[in-house]
Amino acid sequence: MSDDKLTLYYAPQSRASTTRVLLDELGAPYDLHVLNMRAGELKSPEFLAINPLSRVPALRHGETIVTESIAIALHVADLFPQAGLTPGLGDPRRGAYLRWMVFYGSSFEPAVVDKAFDREPTPQSPYGTYEQVMDLLAEQLGKAPYILGDEISVADIQWGSALRWTLMFKIVPDLPVFTEYAERITSRPSFQRVFEDEARLVAEHEAAAGSGR
Ligand SMILES: N[C@@H](CCC(=O)N[C@@H](CS)C(=O)NCC(=O)O)C(=O)O
Protein backbone atom coordinates (compact mmCIF):
# COMPACT_ATOMS: atom_id res chain seq x y z
CA MET A 1 0.00 0.00 0.00
CA SER A 2 1.39 3.41 -0.83
CA ASP A 3 2.23 5.74 2.02
CA ASP A 4 0.27 8.98 1.62
CA LYS A 5 1.79 10.75 4.59
CA LEU A 6 2.63 14.44 4.25
CA THR A 7 5.84 15.88 5.68
CA LEU A 8 6.58 19.58 5.48
CA TYR A 9 10.27 20.53 5.49
CA TYR A 10 10.17 23.89 7.14
CA ALA A 11 12.23 26.63 8.77
CA PRO A 12 10.63 29.39 10.85
CA GLN A 13 10.20 32.88 9.41
CA SER A 14 10.64 31.74 5.83
CA ARG A 15 8.43 31.05 2.84
CA ALA A 16 7.71 27.71 4.51
CA SER A 17 5.75 29.61 7.19
CA THR A 18 3.06 30.30 4.60
CA THR A 19 2.90 26.62 3.71
CA ARG A 20 2.57 25.68 7.38
CA VAL A 21 -0.35 28.12 7.80
CA LEU A 22 -1.94 26.81 4.63
CA LEU A 23 -1.76 23.16 5.78
CA ASP A 24 -3.36 24.22 9.07
CA GLU A 25 -6.11 26.15 7.27
CA LEU A 26 -6.79 23.10 5.10
CA GLY A 27 -7.04 20.85 8.16
CA ALA A 28 -4.35 18.62 6.64
CA PRO A 29 -2.66 16.02 8.83
CA TYR A 30 1.13 16.36 8.37
CA ASP A 31 4.45 15.98 10.09
CA LEU A 32 6.46 19.13 10.57
CA HIS A 33 10.16 18.59 9.93
CA VAL A 34 11.82 21.65 11.43
CA LEU A 35 15.20 22.68 10.03
CA ASN A 36 17.56 25.18 11.61
CA MET A 37 18.50 27.44 8.72
CA ARG A 38 20.85 29.42 10.98
CA ALA A 39 22.82 26.25 11.80
CA GLY A 40 23.19 25.31 8.11
CA GLU A 41 20.75 22.38 8.19
CA LEU A 42 19.43 23.23 4.71
CA LYS A 43 22.87 22.35 3.38
CA SER A 44 23.00 18.89 4.95
CA PRO A 45 23.29 15.95 2.52
CA GLU A 46 19.94 14.63 3.81
CA PHE A 47 18.13 17.84 2.92
CA LEU A 48 20.02 18.40 -0.35
CA ALA A 49 18.67 15.00 -1.44
CA ILE A 50 15.18 16.50 -0.98
CA ASN A 51 15.85 19.91 -2.50
CA PRO A 52 19.20 20.33 -4.26
CA LEU A 53 18.62 24.11 -4.18
CA SER A 54 18.71 23.98 -0.33
CA ARG A 55 15.50 25.92 -0.05
CA VAL A 56 12.33 25.55 2.01
CA PRO A 57 9.49 24.79 1.80
CA ALA A 58 9.62 21.24 0.50
CA LEU A 59 6.91 18.65 0.87
CA ARG A 60 7.08 14.88 0.88
CA HIS A 61 3.81 13.23 -0.09
CA GLY A 62 4.31 9.50 0.13
CA GLU A 63 7.07 8.79 -2.38
CA THR A 64 6.79 12.16 -4.10
CA ILE A 65 8.76 15.30 -3.33
CA VAL A 66 7.26 18.66 -4.23
CA THR A 67 9.35 21.84 -4.02
CA GLU A 68 8.41 25.47 -4.82
CA SER A 69 5.85 27.16 -2.57
CA ILE A 70 3.27 27.61 -5.27
CA ALA A 71 3.49 24.03 -6.53
CA ILE A 72 3.11 22.81 -2.96
CA ALA A 73 0.14 25.13 -2.34
CA LEU A 74 -1.66 23.99 -5.50
CA HIS A 75 -0.97 20.35 -4.65
CA VAL A 76 -2.24 20.45 -1.07
CA ALA A 77 -5.19 22.67 -2.02
CA ASP A 78 -6.36 19.93 -4.39
CA LEU A 79 -5.80 17.24 -1.75
CA PHE A 80 -8.08 18.96 0.79
CA PRO A 81 -10.96 20.60 -1.09
CA GLN A 82 -13.27 19.88 1.86
CA ALA A 83 -11.79 22.90 3.66
CA GLY A 84 -13.67 25.08 1.14
CA LEU A 85 -10.58 27.09 0.18
CA THR A 86 -9.85 25.44 -3.18
CA PRO A 87 -11.43 26.70 -6.39
CA GLY A 88 -11.54 23.29 -8.06
CA LEU A 89 -11.91 22.34 -11.70
CA GLY A 90 -15.36 23.49 -12.75
CA ASP A 91 -15.36 26.44 -10.34
CA PRO A 92 -15.72 29.64 -12.40
CA ARG A 93 -12.88 31.13 -10.30
CA ARG A 94 -10.42 28.36 -11.29
CA GLY A 95 -8.73 30.34 -14.07
CA ALA A 96 -8.30 33.46 -11.95
CA TYR A 97 -7.09 31.31 -9.05
CA LEU A 98 -4.35 29.68 -11.16
CA ARG A 99 -3.44 33.02 -12.69
CA TRP A 100 -2.93 34.80 -9.37
CA MET A 101 -1.09 31.87 -7.79
CA VAL A 102 1.36 31.57 -10.67
CA PHE A 103 1.63 35.35 -11.08
CA TYR A 104 2.94 35.41 -7.52
CA GLY A 105 5.95 33.23 -8.33
CA SER A 106 6.63 34.19 -11.89
CA SER A 107 5.99 37.96 -11.92
CA PHE A 108 5.58 39.41 -8.43
CA GLU A 109 8.61 37.77 -6.80
CA PRO A 110 11.03 38.64 -9.63
CA ALA A 111 9.67 42.22 -9.60
CA VAL A 112 10.13 42.73 -5.85
CA VAL A 113 13.54 41.05 -5.81
CA ASP A 114 14.71 43.35 -8.61
CA LYS A 115 13.28 46.25 -6.64
CA ALA A 116 15.12 45.18 -3.48
CA PHE A 117 18.42 45.24 -5.37
CA ASP A 118 17.67 48.39 -7.37
CA ARG A 119 17.74 46.50 -10.66
CA GLU A 120 15.78 47.92 -13.57
CA PRO A 121 13.81 45.33 -15.55
CA THR A 122 14.91 44.70 -19.10
CA PRO A 123 12.54 43.85 -21.97
CA GLN A 124 13.52 40.21 -21.24
CA SER A 125 12.43 40.35 -17.58
CA PRO A 126 9.53 37.99 -16.83
CA TYR A 127 7.22 40.86 -15.84
CA GLY A 128 6.48 44.28 -17.37
CA THR A 129 7.60 46.98 -14.98
CA TYR A 130 7.52 47.02 -11.19
CA GLU A 131 4.85 49.75 -11.33
CA GLN A 132 2.66 47.67 -13.65
CA VAL A 133 2.88 44.67 -11.32
CA MET A 134 1.96 46.80 -8.28
CA ASP A 135 -0.88 48.57 -10.10
CA LEU A 136 -2.36 45.30 -11.32
CA LEU A 137 -2.27 43.79 -7.85
CA ALA A 138 -3.66 46.93 -6.16
CA GLU A 139 -6.48 47.08 -8.69
CA GLN A 140 -7.39 43.42 -8.09
CA LEU A 141 -7.29 43.70 -4.29
CA GLY A 142 -9.32 46.91 -4.43
CA LYS A 143 -12.31 45.13 -5.97
CA ALA A 144 -13.34 42.88 -3.07
CA PRO A 145 -12.17 41.73 0.37
CA TYR A 146 -10.37 38.71 -1.13
CA ILE A 147 -8.30 38.30 -4.26
CA LEU A 148 -10.93 36.18 -6.03
CA GLY A 149 -13.96 38.06 -4.73
CA ASP A 150 -16.11 37.79 -1.62
CA GLU A 151 -14.82 34.41 -0.48
CA ILE A 152 -11.45 33.58 0.92
CA SER A 153 -9.36 30.99 -0.91
CA VAL A 154 -5.91 29.41 -0.84
CA ALA A 155 -4.68 32.33 -2.96
CA ASP A 156 -5.36 34.72 -0.06
CA ILE A 157 -3.20 32.71 2.34
CA GLN A 158 -0.37 33.06 -0.17
CA TRP A 159 -0.91 36.76 -0.95
CA GLY A 160 -1.68 37.89 2.60
CA SER A 161 1.54 36.35 3.78
CA ALA A 162 3.52 37.72 0.84
CA LEU A 163 2.27 41.25 1.31
CA ARG A 164 3.05 41.10 5.02
CA TRP A 165 6.73 40.35 4.44
CA THR A 166 7.16 42.55 1.39
CA LEU A 167 5.58 45.49 3.25
CA MET A 168 7.92 44.78 6.15
CA PHE A 169 10.93 44.89 3.79
CA LYS A 170 9.49 48.03 2.14
CA ILE A 171 9.65 46.51 -1.33
CA VAL A 172 5.97 47.13 -2.07
CA PRO A 173 4.31 50.54 -1.76
CA ASP A 174 2.68 51.25 1.57
CA LEU A 175 -0.83 51.51 0.06
CA PRO A 176 -3.91 51.07 2.30
CA VAL A 177 -5.21 48.43 -0.12
CA PHE A 178 -2.09 46.34 0.61
CA THR A 179 -1.77 47.01 4.34
CA GLU A 180 -5.47 46.42 5.05
CA TYR A 181 -5.51 43.22 3.01
CA ALA A 182 -2.33 41.87 4.67
CA GLU A 183 -3.84 42.63 8.09
CA ARG A 184 -7.19 41.03 7.16
CA ILE A 185 -5.49 37.79 6.18
CA THR A 186 -2.63 37.49 8.65
CA SER A 187 -4.74 38.38 11.70
CA ARG A 188 -6.44 34.99 11.25
CA PRO A 189 -5.83 32.59 14.16
CA SER A 190 -3.91 30.21 11.86
CA PHE A 191 -1.25 32.86 11.17
CA GLN A 192 -1.15 34.06 14.76
CA ARG A 193 -0.55 30.52 16.07
CA VAL A 194 2.34 29.98 13.65
CA PHE A 195 3.90 33.41 14.40
CA GLU A 196 3.76 32.67 18.12
CA ASP A 197 5.36 29.27 17.75
CA GLU A 198 8.01 30.71 15.44
CA ALA A 199 9.15 33.23 18.04
CA ARG A 200 9.95 30.26 20.28
CA LEU A 201 11.62 28.28 17.47
CA VAL A 202 13.79 31.19 16.33
CA ALA A 203 15.06 31.74 19.88
CA GLU A 204 15.91 28.02 20.13
CA HIS A 205 17.59 28.02 16.72
CA GLU A 206 19.68 31.09 17.48
CA ALA A 207 20.82 29.59 20.74
CA ALA A 208 21.70 26.27 19.04
CA ALA A 209 23.51 27.99 16.15
CA GLY A 210 25.41 30.21 18.59
CA SER A 211 26.53 27.24 20.65
CA GLY A 212 27.77 25.51 17.48
CA ARG A 213 25.21 22.69 17.67
N1 LIG B 1 11.14 29.68 -5.21
C1 LIG B 1 11.21 29.07 -3.92
C2 LIG B 1 12.01 29.97 -3.00
C3 LIG B 1 12.28 29.31 -1.66
C4 LIG B 1 13.26 30.12 -0.85
O1 LIG B 1 14.02 30.96 -1.36
N2 LIG B 1 13.28 29.85 0.45
C5 LIG B 1 14.22 30.50 1.33
C6 LIG B 1 13.55 30.85 2.65
S1 LIG B 1 12.36 32.13 2.48
C7 LIG B 1 15.34 29.55 1.69
O2 LIG B 1 15.11 28.37 1.86
N3 LIG B 1 16.56 30.05 1.83
C8 LIG B 1 17.67 29.25 2.20
C9 LIG B 1 18.79 30.04 2.80
O3 LIG B 1 18.65 31.24 2.97
O4 LIG B 1 19.82 29.42 3.11
C10 LIG B 1 9.81 28.81 -3.36
O5 LIG B 1 8.91 29.61 -3.66
O6 LIG B 1 9.61 27.84 -2.64
Side-chain angles (χ1 to χ4, degrees), residues 14-15 37 42-43 54-57 68-69:
S14 76
R15 287 172 177 83
M37 192 146 60
L42 268 55
K43 303 222 162 38
S54 70
R55 293 270 181 289
V56 285
E68 295 300 324
S69 311

mmCIF file of all heavy atoms in Angstrom, residues 14-15 37 42-43 54-57 68-69, ligand 1:
data_model
loop_
_atom_site.group_PDB
_atom_site.id
_atom_site.type_symbol
_atom_site.label_atom_id
_atom_site.label_comp_id
_atom_site.label_asym_id
_atom_site.label_seq_id
_atom_site.Cartn_x
_atom_site.Cartn_y
_atom_site.Cartn_z
ATOM 1 N N SER A 14 10.199 31.929 7.213
ATOM 2 C CA SER A 14 10.643 31.739 5.831
ATOM 3 C C SER A 14 9.395 31.550 4.974
ATOM 4 O O SER A 14 8.275 31.567 5.492
ATOM 5 C CB SER A 14 11.523 30.488 5.731
ATOM 6 O OG SER A 14 10.709 29.329 5.778
ATOM 7 N N ARG A 15 9.592 31.310 3.697
ATOM 8 C CA ARG A 15 8.435 31.050 2.840
ATOM 9 C C ARG A 15 7.680 29.801 3.295
ATOM 10 O O ARG A 15 6.501 29.644 2.985
ATOM 11 C CB ARG A 15 8.881 30.908 1.390
ATOM 12 C CG ARG A 15 9.296 32.224 0.734
ATOM 13 C CD ARG A 15 9.905 31.930 -0.618
ATOM 14 N NE ARG A 15 10.286 33.114 -1.376
ATOM 15 C CZ ARG A 15 11.440 33.769 -1.215
ATOM 16 N NH1 ARG A 15 12.285 33.395 -0.279
ATOM 17 N NH2 ARG A 15 11.733 34.808 -1.987
ATOM 18 N N MET A 37 17.827 26.787 9.838
ATOM 19 C CA MET A 37 18.501 27.444 8.716
ATOM 20 C C MET A 37 19.787 28.112 9.205
ATOM 21 O O MET A 37 20.806 28.090 8.532
ATOM 22 C CB MET A 37 17.523 28.490 8.157
ATOM 23 C CG MET A 37 17.885 29.080 6.848
ATOM 24 S SD MET A 37 16.428 29.464 5.834
ATOM 25 C CE MET A 37 15.524 30.605 6.814
ATOM 26 N N LEU A 42 19.949 23.345 6.079
ATOM 27 C CA LEU A 42 19.431 23.230 4.710
ATOM 28 C C LEU A 42 20.520 22.741 3.747
ATOM 29 O O LEU A 42 20.237 22.373 2.612
ATOM 30 C CB LEU A 42 18.873 24.573 4.222
ATOM 31 C CG LEU A 42 17.378 24.808 4.454
ATOM 32 C CD1 LEU A 42 16.989 24.643 5.891
ATOM 33 C CD2 LEU A 42 16.966 26.174 3.958
ATOM 34 N N LYS A 43 21.755 22.770 4.232
ATOM 35 C CA LYS A 43 22.874 22.346 3.378
ATOM 36 C C LYS A 43 23.333 20.930 3.719
ATOM 37 O O LYS A 43 24.335 20.454 3.189
ATOM 38 C CB LYS A 43 24.033 23.326 3.544
ATOM 39 C CG LYS A 43 23.633 24.770 3.228
ATOM 40 C CD LYS A 43 24.669 25.513 2.435
ATOM 41 C CE LYS A 43 24.183 26.763 1.746
ATOM 42 N NZ LYS A 43 23.216 27.602 2.428
ATOM 43 N N SER A 54 18.659 23.669 -1.769
ATOM 44 C CA SER A 54 18.713 23.975 -0.327
ATOM 45 C C SER A 54 17.770 25.113 0.069
ATOM 46 O O SER A 54 18.166 26.098 0.690
ATOM 47 C CB SER A 54 20.154 24.241 0.150
ATOM 48 O OG SER A 54 20.654 25.436 -0.337
ATOM 49 N N ARG A 55 16.530 24.909 -0.309
ATOM 50 C CA ARG A 55 15.500 25.918 -0.047
ATOM 51 C C ARG A 55 14.271 25.254 0.582
ATOM 52 O O ARG A 55 13.927 24.123 0.214
ATOM 53 C CB ARG A 55 15.038 26.568 -1.358
ATOM 54 C CG ARG A 55 16.113 27.413 -2.054
ATOM 55 C CD ARG A 55 16.007 28.812 -1.536
ATOM 56 N NE ARG A 55 16.914 29.786 -2.072
ATOM 57 C CZ ARG A 55 18.216 29.861 -1.852
ATOM 58 N NH1 ARG A 55 18.828 28.952 -1.154
ATOM 59 N NH2 ARG A 55 18.932 30.857 -2.336
ATOM 60 N N VAL A 56 13.641 25.968 1.496
ATOM 61 C CA VAL A 56 12.330 25.550 2.006
ATOM 62 C C VAL A 56 11.282 26.536 1.516
ATOM 63 O O VAL A 56 11.624 27.700 1.248
ATOM 64 C CB VAL A 56 12.326 25.476 3.560
ATOM 65 C CG1 VAL A 56 13.064 24.263 4.055
ATOM 66 C CG2 VAL A 56 12.849 26.758 4.200
ATOM 67 N N PRO A 57 10.028 26.074 1.393
ATOM 68 C CA PRO A 57 9.487 24.789 1.800
ATOM 69 C C PRO A 57 9.781 23.670 0.811
ATOM 70 O O PRO A 57 10.058 23.915 -0.361
ATOM 71 C CB PRO A 57 7.979 25.058 1.813
ATOM 72 C CG PRO A 57 7.773 26.054 0.709
ATOM 73 C CD PRO A 57 8.979 26.946 0.791
ATOM 74 N N GLU A 68 9.000 24.216 -4.331
ATOM 75 C CA GLU A 68 8.406 25.469 -4.819
ATOM 76 C C GLU A 68 7.065 25.718 -4.113
ATOM 77 O O GLU A 68 6.093 24.960 -4.295
ATOM 78 C CB GLU A 68 8.215 25.501 -6.347
ATOM 79 C CG GLU A 68 9.512 25.460 -7.139
ATOM 80 C CD GLU A 68 10.435 26.650 -6.821
ATOM 81 O OE1 GLU A 68 9.931 27.762 -6.599
ATOM 82 O OE2 GLU A 68 11.658 26.438 -6.770
ATOM 83 N N SER A 69 7.034 26.824 -3.367
ATOM 84 C CA SER A 69 5.851 27.165 -2.566
ATOM 85 C C SER A 69 4.544 27.042 -3.331
ATOM 86 O O SER A 69 3.558 26.517 -2.814
ATOM 87 C CB SER A 69 5.918 28.615 -2.102
ATOM 88 O OG SER A 69 7.132 28.908 -1.549
HETATM 89 N N1 LIG B 1 11.142 29.685 -5.211
HETATM 90 C C1 LIG B 1 11.209 29.073 -3.918
HETATM 91 C C2 LIG B 1 12.006 29.971 -2.998
HETATM 92 C C3 LIG B 1 12.276 29.314 -1.664
HETATM 93 C C4 LIG B 1 13.260 30.119 -0.846
HETATM 94 O O1 LIG B 1 14.016 30.959 -1.357
HETATM 95 N N2 LIG B 1 13.276 29.854 0.446
HETATM 96 C C5 LIG B 1 14.222 30.498 1.333
HETATM 97 C C6 LIG B 1 13.550 30.852 2.652
HETATM 98 S S1 LIG B 1 12.364 32.131 2.480
HETATM 99 C C7 LIG B 1 15.339 29.547 1.694
HETATM 100 O O2 LIG B 1 15.106 28.371 1.862
HETATM 101 N N3 LIG B 1 16.556 30.049 1.830
HETATM 102 C C8 LIG B 1 17.670 29.254 2.202
HETATM 103 C C9 LIG B 1 18.791 30.036 2.797
HETATM 104 O O3 LIG B 1 18.646 31.239 2.967
HETATM 105 O O4 LIG B 1 19.818 29.416 3.105
HETATM 106 C C10 LIG B 1 9.809 28.812 -3.361
HETATM 107 O O5 LIG B 1 8.915 29.609 -3.657
HETATM 108 O O6 LIG B 1 9.612 27.845 -2.640
#
